[in-house]
Amino acid sequence: MAKPETKTEFFYTERGLITVDSPVKLQILNLLREGPKSFDEIVKYTAKAKSTISVHLNNLRSCELVEENSDPQDRRKKIYSLTSHYMGCSQEPFIGHYSSLLETVAANGNDRFHFMEALFHVMRFGFEAYGLDNAPVVRMIGIDIGKHLSANFVSIAPEDLFNEIADFMEFHGDCRVSVFMGSSPALQIEDDFKARVIPAIGKPFCALREGILEGILKEKLGKECGVLETECYGTGHTRCIFEITI
């Protein structure tokens, strides 16, 4: 049985942003984020009565967060899928990182590049300080940026494209980028400034960069691609590693 959610989460549909704070609805939505599920699978996961789940699913459908389709293997059964995008959630406010980064902004007032970099980090941790985890929407914005940036790249072979992206990132940032090929391609980014200013928060921090990489790859390769940051300065590592799946 899944543990009930105890926070507010935000989902985006064509009608705009919708907030959900019902523990059972959040259980259902977070299960469907893994992929389509049958009615019976949802009942088993939530450990709730069928009548209760039916009411919640109907409500989620009316909000256009979920859609219902017939199971192609058995038309009598229903399959439910997520039709919205997860955008973030409420969390306990944490101001420690925010306060230290505000001091970093002030200390870099005469360094144009590092001032803007520190300002970006303040914005990211500022949401956390005021009780909002906005990493999912930042990643989504990154994907949008990456898709539009893709026109700046000419390569369509994966390895050539990875190297072109590495050159682009080095040109636009104070960092060193290495490309690792093999069964699991990856980009390694070493950033001295980020190493100095980003606190170890126990989770990856580079949602925007993760999204940009995924957006470029999807648009240029014309395939479903995934980018996952597996090492980060935020997790206490001395580099950022973005693993790529195609």
Side-chain angles (χ1 to χ4, degrees), residues 74-147:
D74 186 344
R75 306 294 293 182
R76 296 170 299 176
K77 297 181 179 179
K78 301 299 181 183
I79 299 293
Y80 295 88
S81 305
L82 200 65
T83 54
S84 51
H85 299 284
Y86 175 64
M87 291 285 110
C89 66
S90 61
Q91 64 175 29
E92 183 178 349
F94 186 79
I95 65 171
H97 308 323
Y98 183 56
S99 298
S100 64
L101 284 168
L102 287 171
E103 295 177 3
T104 302
V105 168
N108 285 275
N110 295 321
D111 184 326
R112 182 185 304 173
F113 178 82
H114 287 153
F115 174 79
M116 293 305 298
E117 179 81 355
L119 197 62
F120 167 75
H121 296 319
V122 166
M123 292 296 295
R124 172 70 175 83
F125 281 110
F127 282 94
E128 181 180 89
Y130 287 100
L132 177 63
D133 175 10
N134 71 335
V137 70
V138 169
R139 190 179 192 281
M140 189 68 68
I141 292 170
I143 291 174
D144 293 338
I145 293 171
K147 288 181 176 179

Side-chain angles (χ1 to χ4, degrees), residues 53-63 68 80:
I53 296 305
S54 181
V55 169
H56 283 298
L57 284 170
N58 286 335
N59 184 258
L60 291 171
R61 289 171 59 205
S62 69
C63 295
E68 177 188 272
Y80 295 88

Side-chain angles (χ1 to χ4, degrees), residues 154-229:
V154 298
S155 303
I156 55 174
E159 185 171 0
D160 293 338
L161 181 58
F162 298 158
N163 284 305
E164 196 176 347
I165 291 172
D167 291 340
F168 179 86
M169 296 177 73
E170 286 189 347
F171 178 76
H172 286 283
D174 186 17
C175 60
R176 297 172 300 283
V177 185
S178 304
V179 177
F180 300 123
M181 295 302 297
S183 57
S184 298
L187 293 180
Q188 172 183 280
I189 300 176
E190 297 170 286
D191 187 326
D192 292 337
F193 179 72
K194 187 172 288 186
R196 293 196 304 271
V197 304
I198 295 301
I201 59 176
K203 60 183 178 181
F205 171 77
C206 308
L208 182 68
R209 186 173 278 171
E210 191 179 58
I212 290 173
L213 289 171
E214 185 168 313
I216 294 171
L217 294 173
K218 283 182 174 180
E219 198 71 12
K220 290 302 295 184
L221 300 179
K223 300 177 180 178
E224 279 302 311
C225 303
V227 176
L228 178 65
E229 187 179 18

